[in-house]
Amino acid sequence: MDLFAETGRYLLDPDSWTGAGGLVARLLEQLLLTATALVAAMLLGLPLALWLGHLGKGGFLAVNVSNVGRAVPTFALLALLVAADWPGSADFGPYGRAGLATLIALVLFALPPLITNGYVGMREVPSDVQEAADGMGMSPVQRFRRVELPLALPVVASGVRLALVQVWATATIAALVAGPGLGRIITEGFARNDYAQGMAGAVVVALVALVLELAAAAVQRAVDPMPRGPSPDRDDAVSVPSTTVAEAPTGS
């Protein structure tokens, strides 16, 4: 109980939040790491996954790349990258010591859920919707952009949501190579036997992860073209796939 009380006092102390090594500074560092890694992973993984899903090819590749990515421990990968001549442990702009190595490790960690969900989301678009789009004279690119992608967005957003929370939580490992982020608060606290500081850092990581999860869930619901509301009466139900295709413009 004393540890929890000391953790609370640490979190309520304004000095804990200020300064170059305070909670606010470390929080912003980890947010920067997380956002950069997630955006880079989305730019690398989503276009390929969505296009393969549109073509109906490469499922074996998408699934196995994801499985391999999940099997490799992120910390082990980070250790190898830091030990190598490149990228090594050199400072990398605002990302600090071993910043590039940390970003590469986090990007590779974020790719599996993005690739899997991007591919699966496209493959789950109903075939009758695709056939209706073809029957309306849409080109493959038009069908992808106006019909398939909007219907796949909820599954894609689910992958982004999962990757976001995972990358945020995993970014604390940057501290193990003296990198930035809230992991520094945790490791420095335990190294000095200041367990209240270490616990406080862990609490902040957990609370921010919860906030990010809730925000990502709200975005996922917002992009869903088929909102999950109260069940309408059967007589009032509307066929969503047919409506989606019917409303798709047919101009080139």
Side-chain angles (χ1 to χ4, degrees):
M1 294 300 293
D2 289 341
L3 177 58
F4 290 110
E6 291 174 6
T7 301
R9 284 194 291 270
Y10 184 92
L11 289 171
L12 293 175
D13 184 357
D15 291 338
S16 301
W17 296 85
T18 57
L23 285 167
V24 171
R26 297 304 187 192
L27 172 63
L28 293 176
E29 290 172 354
Q30 188 155 330
L31 283 173
L32 178 62
L33 268 176
T34 301
T36 305
L38 182 63
V39 170
M42 290 172 64
L43 292 175
L44 288 172
L46 281 182
L48 176 62
L50 294 173
W51 191 246
L52 288 177
H54 167 73
L55 297 176
K57 300 178 181 179
F60 178 82
L61 173 65
V63 171
N64 282 278
V65 164
S66 299
N67 290 337
V68 170
R70 292 188 178 100
V72 177
T74 306
F75 176 61
L77 178 60
L78 177 60
L80 290 174
L81 292 171
V82 170
D85 292 335
W86 187 91
S89 59
D91 285 353
F92 186 63
Y95 304 99
R97 187 174 188 272
L100 183 56
T102 303
L103 283 173
I104 293 174
L106 292 176
V107 167
L108 294 176
F109 181 66
L111 283 174
L114 295 174
I115 292 175
T116 299
N117 283 49
Y119 181 84
V120 170
M122 294 298 293
R123 297 308 302 152
E124 286 187 349
V125 175
S127 58
D128 56 342
V129 175
Q130 297 173 330
E131 292 170 1
D134 291 337
M136 295 175 66
M138 288 189 183
S139 68
V141 173
Q142 287 176 321
R143 191 185 76 186
F144 169 80
R145 182 166 57 88
R146 299 175 180 176
V147 178
E148 294 173 342
L149 184 57
L151 292 176
L153 271 181
V155 180
V156 175
S158 176
V160 175
R161 171 183 172 183
L162 179 60
L164 170 63
V165 178
Q166 288 182 343
V167 169
W168 164 260
T170 308
T172 54
I173 66 170
L176 299 178
V177 291
L182 287 166
R184 290 287 291 273
I185 300 288
I186 299 172
T187 56
E188 289 172 2
F190 287 121
R192 298 199 303 257
N193 292 324
D194 187 352
Y195 298 112
Q197 175 180 328
M199 286 285 291
V203 167
V204 174
V205 171
L207 289 176
V208 175
L210 178 60
V211 172
L212 293 175
E213 167 70 16
L214 293 174
V219 172
Q220 183 180 348
R221 288 193 297 270
V223 301
D224 192 343
M226 297 179 286
R228 306 297 192 262
S231 298
D233 295 336
R234 184 175 300 273
D235 293 339
D236 296 334
V238 177
S239 174
V240 175
S242 299
T243 303
T244 303
V245 174
E247 293 177 351
T250 59
S252 57

